[in-house]
């Protein structure tokens, strides 16, 4: 939803219906406190675990993270989303992430290790089938998690010229072109073997990218050259102090609008890590770790001003909001709202 048009800001929460989630939840956002109030729920798509908003069309897209793999489009003119039509198969299994690029919805299909492009029809509904499915190849040293490719995220670069996909199974990031609805591999960048990259976020200036590694747990700092679509790793920073004990699986990453801070969620530790960035955008330092407000934080979201941080806590079934200190970047808990099996939050 476009800002400044007199309508209230809303948050959309995805969840795992197979684990008791309510589907897609719509919540009102209090502009002064960041607090969420649930307005409605819709459960007509199984496991809508990740969402993407096209605010210019008032349309919300959702993956269906199932073995069959599908993506759905919702109109969000009111407070209860309405499907534009039946979900479209992605041509891959277990889609975990999606984004919008050049008239297509792109999905990262974790189960099949592929990236799919589904055309958007006039009115922002979806075509009945994907126009392109690009299958990844390769593996990594972790015998349990990296026997084959597992595309975990796909998103446009800041220029909108490239599609960038992160693959946990192959320890790599792929840069792709979308030409006439067909995805083609442009370049693949290898990261440290066994790091298990999960998600990536760009610096607001566009010259750096930060890859969050699920199996490490670290952030790999990279230089991004949009002119030739190249990603160059230049450093790796832990997101936890000391030696991790037991389960510690980073999940979500966001960057502040002023480029001074990076936040990551860490499942198992149930924390949010605060990392400070230097003026170059390449010096990254762990500043603090704070409780995430629940259990198993799967995703983070930041409001456009950078003031409020939201955490989707999957196993405790809630979304917690935090007020971010503008000087230190350290978030202070404000409150939470019940959201069973919560998996992501998007604001619009």
């Amino acid at each position: 939803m476009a800002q400044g048009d007199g309508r209230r800001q809303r948050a959309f929460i995805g969840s795992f219906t197979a684990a008791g989630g309510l589907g897609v939840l719509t919540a009102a956002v209090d502009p002064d406190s960041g607090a969420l109030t649930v307005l409605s729920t819709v459960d007509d798509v199984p496991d809508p675990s990740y969402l993407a908003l096209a605010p210019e069309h008032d349309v919300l897209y959702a993956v269906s993270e199932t073995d069959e793999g599908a993506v759905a489009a919702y109109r969000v003119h009111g407070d209860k989303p309405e499907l534009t039509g039946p979900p479209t198969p992605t041509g891959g299994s277990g889609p975990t992430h999606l984004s919008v690029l050049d008239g297509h919805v792109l999905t990262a299909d974790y189960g099949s290790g592929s990236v799919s492009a589904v055309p958007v029809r006039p009115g922002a509904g979806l075509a009945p089938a994907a126009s392109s499915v690009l299958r990844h190849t390769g593996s990594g040293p972790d015998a349990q998690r990296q026997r084959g490719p597992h595309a975990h995220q796909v998103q446009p670069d800041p220029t909108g010229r490239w599609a960038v996909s992160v693959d946990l199974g192959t320890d790599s990031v792929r840069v792709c072109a979308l030409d006439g609805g067909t995805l083609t591999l442009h370049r693949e960048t290898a990261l440290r073997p066994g790091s298990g990259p999960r998600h990536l976020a760009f610096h607001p200036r566009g010259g750096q990218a930060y890859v969050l590694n699920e199996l490490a747990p670290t952030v790999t700092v990279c230089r991004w050259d949009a002119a030739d679509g190249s990603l160059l790793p230049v450093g790796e920073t832990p997101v936890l102090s000391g030696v991790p004990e037991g389960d510690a699986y980073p999940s979500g990453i966001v960057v502040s609008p002023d480029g001074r801070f990076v936040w990551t969620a860490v499942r198992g530790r149930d924390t949010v890590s605060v990392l400070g960035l230097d003026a170059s955008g390449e010096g990254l330092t762990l500043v603090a770790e704070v409780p995430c407000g629940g259990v198993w934080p799967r995703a983070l979201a930041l409001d456009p001003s950078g003031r409020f941080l939201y955490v989707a806590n999957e196993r405790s079934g809630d979304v917690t909001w935090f007020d971010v200190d503008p000087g230190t970047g350290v978030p202070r808990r404000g409150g939470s709202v019940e959201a069973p099996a919560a998996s992501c939050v998007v604001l619009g």
Side-chain angles (χ1 to χ4, degrees):
M1 182 178 69
Q3 298 297 302
D5 59 3
R7 291 180 288 174
R8 58 184 170 178
Q9 186 182 25
R10 293 171 292 178
F12 301 95
I13 303 167
S15 68
F16 288 102
T17 56
L22 303 178
V24 177
L25 292 76
T26 303
V29 181
D30 185 286
D32 297 318
S33 68
L36 303 181
T37 303
V38 174
L39 303 171
S40 68
T41 64
V42 291
D43 63 355
D44 39 19
V45 172
D47 291 341
S49 65
Y50 209 89
L51 312 173
L53 190 64
E56 67 274 17
H57 299 299
D58 276 350
V59 171
L60 182 75
Y61 297 104
V63 300
S64 179
E65 191 176 334
T66 60
D67 289 342
E68 295 78 14
V71 61
Y74 290 92
R75 295 185 182 90
V76 287
H77 297 294
D79 289 333
K80 188 168 186 176
E82 299 177 354
L83 279 176
T84 64
T88 296
T90 65
S93 66
T96 58
H97 188 270
L98 79 170
S99 58
V100 182
L101 173 65
D102 194 22
H104 291 76
V105 172
L106 307 181
T107 66
D109 308 317
Y110 182 88
S112 54
S114 57
V115 175
S116 305
V118 177
V120 174
R121 287 176 157 177
L126 296 171
S131 61
S132 179
V133 179
L134 180 63
R135 300 197 179 277
H136 295 179
T137 59
S139 61
D142 189 314
Q144 291 186 323
R145 300 292 306 277
Q146 297 182 311
R147 292 181 180 179
H150 292 299
H152 216 307
Q153 184 200 39
V154 61
Q155 65 172 314
D157 85 303
T159 69
R161 179 180 177 185
W162 307 103
V164 182
S165 63
V166 182
D167 196 300
L168 185 148
T170 63
D171 292 318
S172 63
V173 178
R174 290 170 173 82
V175 178
C176 303
L178 180 63
D179 186 8
T182 300
L183 288 163
T184 57
L185 178 62
H186 171 70
R187 181 171 282 135
E188 181 175 1
T189 299
L191 302 184
R192 182 170 60 83
S195 56
R198 177 184 174 98
H199 273 209
L200 173 153
F202 286 97
H203 191 280
R205 290 197 302 262
Q208 290 79 28
Y210 310 99
V211 183
L212 182 62
N213 301 306
E214 179 173 337
L215 304 182
T218 59
V219 172
T220 300
V221 179
C222 302
R223 292 175 189 156
W224 170 247
D225 187 337
D228 65 359
S230 64
L231 194 71
L232 176 66
V234 295
E236 192 172 345
T237 301
V239 299
L240 296 173
S241 57
V243 178
E245 297 179 1
D247 294 342
Y249 303 115
S251 53
I253 182 168
V254 291
V255 183
S256 64
D258 61 8
R260 295 175 57 220
F261 300 105
V262 172
W263 296 274
T264 70
V266 185
R267 297 166 297 175
R269 281 287 185 95
D270 295 336
T271 55
V272 173
S273 296
V274 185
L275 299 104
L277 276 168
D278 67 10
S280 74
E282 295 182 6
L284 192 62
T285 305
L286 180 63
V287 173
E289 301 168 62
V290 300
C292 70
V295 179
W296 211 251
R298 187 175 177 88
L300 299 177
L302 193 66
D303 86 308
S305 72
R307 178 181 173 188
F308 301 117
L309 180 71
Y310 297 85
V311 185
N313 294 309
E314 181 183 351
R315 294 185 180 175
S316 55
D318 58 77
V319 172
T320 302
W321 58 88
F322 294 81
D323 198 323
V324 176
D325 186 302
T328 66
V330 175
R332 178 173 53 85
R333 187 183 187 278
S336 65
V337 65
E338 184 178 356
S343 52
C344 83
V345 183
V346 298
L347 301 170

